[in-house]
Amino acid sequence: MVDKVINIQNIAKSVSTGRRSEKLEILHGVSLAANVGEFLSIVGPSGSGKSTLLHCMSGLSKPTSGSVNILGIDPYKLRPAKSAVFRRTKVGFIFQSYNLLPALTAFDNIVLPLRLSRKKVDKAKIYQLLKSINFDANPDSFVSSLSGGERQKVAIARVLVSNCKVIFADEPTGALDSVSGKIIFGLLRDLTKQGVCVVMVTHDIEMAARTDRAITLRDGKLRKILNKPNAQELFEALSDEEK
Ligand SMILES: Nc1ncnc2c1ncn2[C@@H]1O[C@H](COP(=O)(O)OP(=O)(O)O)[C@@H](O)[C@H]1O
Ligand SMILES: [Mg+2]
């Protein structure tokens, strides 16, 4: 039997729109499973619910209904202290908005989860990693002084050093030049070869075509699942959605 790292069943997510008791349903019954070492991509138009799906399936935002299981655990049933440890040690997130602490330096942001878990910080290794992803700024500079692309690399490095088993990435290469994007993709691919499961939202069809499975999302519903997708197939699946 192949181990399921992620298993979500029939997830729906509604949010209050602020107007009286009106609710907006963003996700309508999405089911999906992913295996050890699998590289999954989620593609779809803006506003189709990709970020919401990633937040729900990663334990960050509780779905209105449906079930979520990551590494055999329902993250929404964990007590707060266990939930914090789970997020710090088992799952990694690369957010669209980076989620860095502006008052800390790039280096301190990267090692924060390690320090909180009382793990050893290998400074030379982290400097080497930053070099390998073409991070040209000083690691001791505050993130508030960095460009969008540099911040993105700090957010990526933070996940790469964390040794987690599942990585959720929301357009991780969106703010990067194409060379850096390819390097990051290569590092994520290397992690999947070591058994890490990566779920990546992307607008980049070429990149999605190099993942193991692509999922297209439209209006909060899962539309197509393409195994070993190629760019043409993906392009057609997404163009069909435009009609
Ligand atoms: N907290 C929220 N309150 C109201 N609407 C939201 C909220 N979060 C997302 N939405 C809406 O839900 C839809 C899907 O959003 P999102 O998941 O961010 O899409 P994507 O990542 O595919 O662009 C969008 O129309 C967005 O405006
Ligand atoms: Mg989004």
Side-chain angles (χ1 to χ4, degrees), residues 13-18 24-27 42-55 96 170-171 201 203 217 220:
K13 176 74 176 177
S14 304
V15 292
S16 305
T17 55
L24 171 73
E25 190 162 290
I26 303 175
L27 298 174
I42 301 176
V43 293
S46 291
S48 55
K50 303 181 298 295
S51 295
T52 306
L53 174 61
L54 214 60
H55 289 164
Q96 226 172 347
D170 201 349
E171 300 188 31
V201 168
H203 278 297
L217 203 68

mmCIF file of all heavy atoms in Angstrom, residues 13-18 24-27 42-55 96 170-171 201 203 217 220, ligand 1:
data_model
loop_
_atom_site.group_PDB
_atom_site.id
_atom_site.type_symbol
_atom_site.label_atom_id
_atom_site.label_comp_id
_atom_site.label_asym_id
_atom_site.label_seq_id
_atom_site.Cartn_x
_atom_site.Cartn_y
_atom_site.Cartn_z
ATOM 1 N N LYS A 13 -15.568 25.301 2.023
ATOM 2 C CA LYS A 13 -15.154 26.434 2.853
ATOM 3 C C LYS A 13 -16.015 27.646 2.523
ATOM 4 O O LYS A 13 -16.085 28.075 1.365
ATOM 5 C CB LYS A 13 -13.672 26.750 2.575
ATOM 6 C CG LYS A 13 -13.148 27.968 3.313
ATOM 7 C CD LYS A 13 -12.936 27.699 4.787
ATOM 8 C CE LYS A 13 -12.319 28.893 5.486
ATOM 9 N NZ LYS A 13 -12.171 28.664 6.926
ATOM 10 N N SER A 14 -16.673 28.156 3.558
ATOM 11 C CA SER A 14 -17.470 29.373 3.399
ATOM 12 C C SER A 14 -16.869 30.459 4.263
ATOM 13 O O SER A 14 -16.304 30.170 5.319
ATOM 14 C CB SER A 14 -18.901 29.157 3.863
ATOM 15 O OG SER A 14 -19.482 28.092 3.184
ATOM 16 N N VAL A 15 -16.983 31.691 3.821
ATOM 17 C CA VAL A 15 -16.546 32.810 4.666
ATOM 18 C C VAL A 15 -17.684 33.825 4.747
ATOM 19 O O VAL A 15 -18.524 33.908 3.845
ATOM 20 C CB VAL A 15 -15.275 33.511 4.103
ATOM 21 C CG1 VAL A 15 -14.074 32.608 4.186
ATOM 22 C CG2 VAL A 15 -15.469 34.001 2.683
ATOM 23 N N SER A 16 -17.697 34.570 5.844
ATOM 24 C CA SER A 16 -18.688 35.634 5.971
ATOM 25 C C SER A 16 -18.225 36.795 5.115
ATOM 26 O O SER A 16 -17.050 37.131 5.099
ATOM 27 C CB SER A 16 -18.787 36.106 7.418
ATOM 28 O OG SER A 16 -19.064 35.008 8.230
ATOM 29 N N THR A 17 -19.149 37.399 4.421
ATOM 30 C CA THR A 17 -18.750 38.503 3.554
ATOM 31 C C THR A 17 -18.870 39.845 4.269
ATOM 32 O O THR A 17 -18.532 40.876 3.721
ATOM 33 C CB THR A 17 -19.631 38.544 2.294
ATOM 34 O OG1 THR A 17 -20.988 38.611 2.720
ATOM 35 C CG2 THR A 17 -19.398 37.334 1.429
ATOM 36 N N GLY A 18 -19.367 39.808 5.497
ATOM 37 C CA GLY A 18 -19.488 41.064 6.244
ATOM 38 C C GLY A 18 -20.877 41.639 6.126
ATOM 39 O O GLY A 18 -21.383 42.288 7.021
ATOM 40 N N LEU A 24 -20.118 33.404 1.645
ATOM 41 C CA LEU A 24 -19.610 33.132 0.302
ATOM 42 C C LEU A 24 -18.942 31.766 0.358
ATOM 43 O O LEU A 24 -18.056 31.540 1.182
ATOM 44 C CB LEU A 24 -18.580 34.208 -0.067
ATOM 45 C CG LEU A 24 -17.781 33.981 -1.348
ATOM 46 C CD1 LEU A 24 -18.665 34.203 -2.560
ATOM 47 C CD2 LEU A 24 -16.576 34.910 -1.392
ATOM 48 N N GLU A 25 -19.414 30.839 -0.488
ATOM 49 C CA GLU A 25 -18.775 29.523 -0.478
ATOM 50 C C GLU A 25 -17.641 29.522 -1.494
ATOM 51 O O GLU A 25 -17.867 29.691 -2.697
ATOM 52 C CB GLU A 25 -19.782 28.416 -0.768
ATOM 53 C CG GLU A 25 -19.142 27.058 -0.505
ATOM 54 C CD GLU A 25 -20.132 25.907 -0.331
ATOM 55 O OE1 GLU A 25 -20.828 25.881 0.695
ATOM 56 O OE2 GLU A 25 -20.173 25.052 -1.223
ATOM 57 N N ILE A 26 -16.411 29.367 -0.984
ATOM 58 C CA ILE A 26 -15.236 29.434 -1.863
ATOM 59 C C ILE A 26 -14.885 28.056 -2.416
ATOM 60 O O ILE A 26 -14.559 27.913 -3.586
ATOM 61 C CB ILE A 26 -14.034 30.023 -1.102
ATOM 62 C CG1 ILE A 26 -14.383 31.404 -0.536
ATOM 63 C CG2 ILE A 26 -12.827 30.138 -2.029
ATOM 64 C CD1 ILE A 26 -13.307 31.998 0.332
ATOM 65 N N LEU A 27 -14.945 27.030 -1.570
ATOM 66 C CA LEU A 27 -14.646 25.664 -2.023
ATOM 67 C C LEU A 27 -15.901 24.811 -1.882
ATOM 68 O O LEU A 27 -16.615 24.917 -0.889
ATOM 69 C CB LEU A 27 -13.524 25.046 -1.178
ATOM 70 C CG LEU A 27 -12.160 25.729 -1.218
ATOM 71 C CD1 LEU A 27 -11.218 25.060 -0.214
ATOM 72 C CD2 LEU A 27 -11.554 25.681 -2.615
ATOM 73 N N ILE A 42 -1.172 22.645 -8.344
ATOM 74 C CA ILE A 42 -2.561 23.101 -8.438
ATOM 75 C C ILE A 42 -2.572 24.326 -9.336
ATOM 76 O O ILE A 42 -1.854 25.302 -9.069
ATOM 77 C CB ILE A 42 -3.140 23.453 -7.050
ATOM 78 C CG1 ILE A 42 -3.078 22.227 -6.132
ATOM 79 C CG2 ILE A 42 -4.564 23.977 -7.170
ATOM 80 C CD1 ILE A 42 -3.532 22.491 -4.705
ATOM 81 N N VAL A 43 -3.328 24.246 -10.422
ATOM 82 C CA VAL A 43 -3.396 25.371 -11.343
ATOM 83 C C VAL A 43 -4.858 25.780 -11.529
ATOM 84 O O VAL A 43 -5.767 24.974 -11.309
ATOM 85 C CB VAL A 43 -2.767 25.038 -12.725
ATOM 86 C CG1 VAL A 43 -1.276 24.825 -12.624
ATOM 87 C CG2 VAL A 43 -3.421 23.816 -13.351
ATOM 88 N N GLY A 44 -5.059 27.031 -11.950
ATOM 89 C CA GLY A 44 -6.421 27.518 -12.168
ATOM 90 C C GLY A 44 -6.405 29.030 -12.191
ATOM 91 O O GLY A 44 -5.435 29.645 -11.749
ATOM 92 N N PRO A 45 -7.477 29.629 -12.697
ATOM 93 C CA PRO A 45 -7.518 31.087 -12.791
ATOM 94 C C PRO A 45 -7.458 31.758 -11.417
ATOM 95 O O PRO A 45 -7.744 31.115 -10.397
ATOM 96 C CB PRO A 45 -8.861 31.375 -13.465
ATOM 97 C CG PRO A 45 -9.517 30.084 -13.741
ATOM 98 C CD PRO A 45 -8.698 28.982 -13.190
ATOM 99 N N SER A 46 -7.115 33.030 -11.402
ATOM 100 C CA SER A 46 -7.125 33.798 -10.157
ATOM 101 C C SER A 46 -8.531 33.774 -9.585
ATOM 102 O O SER A 46 -9.501 33.889 -10.328
ATOM 103 C CB SER A 46 -6.747 35.258 -10.418
ATOM 104 O OG SER A 46 -5.422 35.328 -10.770
ATOM 105 N N GLY A 47 -8.610 33.616 -8.289
ATOM 106 C CA GLY A 47 -9.920 33.635 -7.636
ATOM 107 C C GLY A 47 -10.623 32.283 -7.673
ATOM 108 O O GLY A 47 -11.746 32.149 -7.204
ATOM 109 N N SER A 48 -9.959 31.238 -8.204
ATOM 110 C CA SER A 48 -10.626 29.933 -8.286
ATOM 111 C C SER A 48 -10.591 29.180 -6.959
ATOM 112 O O SER A 48 -11.212 28.135 -6.822
ATOM 113 C CB SER A 48 -10.004 29.082 -9.402
ATOM 114 O OG SER A 48 -8.618 28.957 -9.232
ATOM 115 N N GLY A 49 -9.825 29.692 -5.983
ATOM 116 C CA GLY A 49 -9.812 29.064 -4.657
ATOM 117 C C GLY A 49 -8.530 28.308 -4.340
ATOM 118 O O GLY A 49 -8.475 27.563 -3.362
ATOM 119 N N LYS A 50 -7.483 28.522 -5.125
ATOM 120 C CA LYS A 50 -6.232 27.770 -4.932
ATOM 121 C C LYS A 50 -5.611 28.025 -3.556
ATOM 122 O O LYS A 50 -5.245 27.090 -2.833
ATOM 123 C CB LYS A 50 -5.207 28.128 -6.037
ATOM 124 C CG LYS A 50 -5.710 27.898 -7.447
ATOM 125 C CD LYS A 50 -4.670 28.233 -8.491
ATOM 126 C CE LYS A 50 -4.217 29.683 -8.506
ATOM 127 N NZ LYS A 50 -5.282 30.637 -8.888
ATOM 128 N N SER A 51 -5.477 29.307 -3.194
ATOM 129 C CA SER A 51 -4.869 29.626 -1.893
ATOM 130 C C SER A 51 -5.744 29.113 -0.753
ATOM 131 O O SER A 51 -5.234 28.565 0.228
ATOM 132 C CB SER A 51 -4.670 31.141 -1.740
ATOM 133 O OG SER A 51 -3.730 31.606 -2.686
ATOM 134 N N THR A 52 -7.051 29.270 -0.912
ATOM 135 C CA THR A 52 -7.967 28.799 0.135
ATOM 136 C C THR A 52 -7.832 27.286 0.316
ATOM 137 O O THR A 52 -7.763 26.788 1.442
ATOM 138 C CB THR A 52 -9.426 29.169 -0.247
ATOM 139 O OG1 THR A 52 -9.483 30.571 -0.503
ATOM 140 C CG2 THR A 52 -10.400 28.799 0.852
ATOM 141 N N LEU A 53 -7.735 26.568 -0.809
ATOM 142 C CA LEU A 53 -7.584 25.110 -0.736
ATOM 143 C C LEU A 53 -6.284 24.745 -0.017
ATOM 144 O O LEU A 53 -6.265 23.867 0.855
ATOM 145 C CB LEU A 53 -7.606 24.517 -2.152
ATOM 146 C CG LEU A 53 -7.319 23.022 -2.261
ATOM 147 C CD1 LEU A 53 -8.356 22.211 -1.492
ATOM 148 C CD2 LEU A 53 -7.304 22.570 -3.730
ATOM 149 N N LEU A 54 -5.216 25.443 -0.371
ATOM 150 C CA LEU A 54 -3.917 25.151 0.254
ATOM 151 C C LEU A 54 -3.969 25.407 1.769
ATOM 152 O O LEU A 54 -3.466 24.617 2.560
ATOM 153 C CB LEU A 54 -2.850 26.036 -0.393
ATOM 154 C CG LEU A 54 -1.462 25.445 -0.526
ATOM 155 C CD1 LEU A 54 -1.502 24.186 -1.364
ATOM 156 C CD2 LEU A 54 -0.503 26.442 -1.155
ATOM 157 N N HIS A 55 -4.611 26.508 2.157
ATOM 158 C CA HIS A 55 -4.722 26.826 3.588
ATOM 159 C C HIS A 55 -5.553 25.778 4.316
ATOM 160 O O HIS A 55 -5.212 25.368 5.424
ATOM 161 C CB HIS A 55 -5.323 28.218 3.774
ATOM 162 C CG HIS A 55 -4.379 29.316 3.367
ATOM 163 N ND1 HIS A 55 -4.773 30.604 3.138
ATOM 164 C CD2 HIS A 55 -3.057 29.297 3.123
ATOM 165 C CE1 HIS A 55 -3.730 31.334 2.778
ATOM 166 N NE2 HIS A 55 -2.677 30.554 2.763
ATOM 167 N N GLN A 96 2.239 33.016 -0.328
ATOM 168 C CA GLN A 96 2.242 34.035 -1.370
ATOM 169 C C GLN A 96 2.725 35.369 -0.803
ATOM 170 O O GLN A 96 3.378 36.143 -1.471
ATOM 171 C CB GLN A 96 0.804 34.194 -1.888
ATOM 172 C CG GLN A 96 0.711 34.225 -3.374
ATOM 173 C CD GLN A 96 -0.736 34.176 -3.851
ATOM 174 O OE1 GLN A 96 -1.678 33.885 -3.101
ATOM 175 N NE2 GLN A 96 -0.908 34.464 -5.107
ATOM 176 N N ASP A 170 2.650 28.327 -2.136
ATOM 177 C CA ASP A 170 1.686 29.118 -2.894
ATOM 178 C C ASP A 170 2.437 30.047 -3.851
ATOM 179 O O ASP A 170 2.976 31.067 -3.432
ATOM 180 C CB ASP A 170 0.805 29.926 -1.927
ATOM 181 C CG ASP A 170 -0.502 30.352 -2.575
ATOM 182 O OD1 ASP A 170 -0.629 30.199 -3.800
ATOM 183 O OD2 ASP A 170 -1.389 30.843 -1.847
ATOM 184 N N GLU A 171 2.475 29.680 -5.100
ATOM 185 C CA GLU A 171 3.215 30.433 -6.121
ATOM 186 C C GLU A 171 4.622 30.784 -5.646
ATOM 187 O O GLU A 171 4.988 31.961 -5.595
ATOM 188 C CB GLU A 171 2.434 31.684 -6.522
ATOM 189 C CG GLU A 171 1.061 31.314 -7.085
ATOM 190 C CD GLU A 171 0.322 32.491 -7.684
ATOM 191 O OE1 GLU A 171 0.976 33.386 -8.201
ATOM 192 O OE2 GLU A 171 -0.911 32.481 -7.616
ATOM 193 N N VAL A 201 1.017 25.575 -5.666
ATOM 194 C CA VAL A 201 0.130 26.350 -6.534
ATOM 195 C C VAL A 201 1.020 27.135 -7.484
ATOM 196 O O VAL A 201 2.021 27.723 -7.056
ATOM 197 C CB VAL A 201 -0.727 27.331 -5.700
ATOM 198 C CG1 VAL A 201 -1.438 28.333 -6.601
ATOM 199 C CG2 VAL A 201 -1.730 26.582 -4.837
ATOM 200 N N HIS A 203 1.176 29.433 -11.497
ATOM 201 C CA HIS A 203 0.596 29.922 -12.752
ATOM 202 C C HIS A 203 1.472 29.502 -13.915
ATOM 203 O O HIS A 203 1.149 29.747 -15.065
ATOM 204 C CB HIS A 203 0.533 31.457 -12.733
ATOM 205 C CG HIS A 203 -0.649 31.972 -11.996
ATOM 206 N ND1 HIS A 203 -1.939 31.721 -12.403
ATOM 207 C CD2 HIS A 203 -0.756 32.702 -10.875
ATOM 208 C CE1 HIS A 203 -2.768 32.276 -11.549
ATOM 209 N NE2 HIS A 203 -2.081 32.873 -10.611
ATOM 210 N N LEU A 217 -8.314 23.694 -10.900
ATOM 211 C CA LEU A 217 -9.386 24.157 -10.018
ATOM 212 C C LEU A 217 -10.136 25.272 -10.736
ATOM 213 O O LEU A 217 -9.532 26.105 -11.427
ATOM 214 C CB LEU A 217 -8.753 24.700 -8.734
ATOM 215 C CG LEU A 217 -9.612 24.739 -7.481
ATOM 216 C CD1 LEU A 217 -9.908 23.316 -7.022
ATOM 217 C CD2 LEU A 217 -8.872 25.478 -6.360
ATOM 218 N N GLY A 220 -13.828 26.996 -7.273
ATOM 219 C CA GLY A 220 -13.841 26.235 -6.022
ATOM 220 C C GLY A 220 -14.099 24.749 -6.180
ATOM 221 O O GLY A 220 -14.361 24.050 -5.208
HETATM 222 N N1 LIG B 1 -11.526 35.732 3.770
HETATM 223 C C1 LIG B 1 -12.207 35.942 2.642
HETATM 224 N N2 LIG B 1 -13.318 36.695 2.638
HETATM 225 C C2 LIG B 1 -14.028 36.906 1.499
HETATM 226 N N3 LIG B 1 -13.686 36.397 0.305
HETATM 227 C C3 LIG B 1 -12.582 35.650 0.241
HETATM 228 C C4 LIG B 1 -11.777 35.386 1.397
HETATM 229 N N4 LIG B 1 -10.738 34.593 1.021
HETATM 230 C C5 LIG B 1 -10.894 34.393 -0.308
HETATM 231 N N5 LIG B 1 -11.989 35.028 -0.778
HETATM 232 C C6 LIG B 1 -12.498 34.988 -2.176
HETATM 233 O O1 LIG B 1 -12.553 33.631 -2.581
HETATM 234 C C7 LIG B 1 -12.120 33.470 -3.912
HETATM 235 C C8 LIG B 1 -10.926 32.510 -3.959
HETATM 236 O O2 LIG B 1 -9.787 33.119 -3.351
HETATM 237 P P1 LIG B 1 -8.339 32.468 -3.360
HETATM 238 O O3 LIG B 1 -8.408 31.155 -2.688
HETATM 239 O O4 LIG B 1 -7.404 33.464 -2.813
HETATM 240 O O5 LIG B 1 -8.122 32.265 -4.931
HETATM 241 P P2 LIG B 1 -6.777 32.032 -5.777
HETATM 242 O O6 LIG B 1 -5.659 31.716 -4.837
HETATM 243 O O7 LIG B 1 -7.122 30.900 -6.710
HETATM 244 O O8 LIG B 1 -6.550 33.289 -6.554
HETATM 245 C C9 LIG B 1 -11.797 34.858 -4.408
HETATM 246 O O9 LIG B 1 -12.905 35.341 -5.113
HETATM 247 C C10 LIG B 1 -11.543 35.648 -3.147
HETATM 248 O O10 LIG B 1 -11.855 37.000 -3.338
#
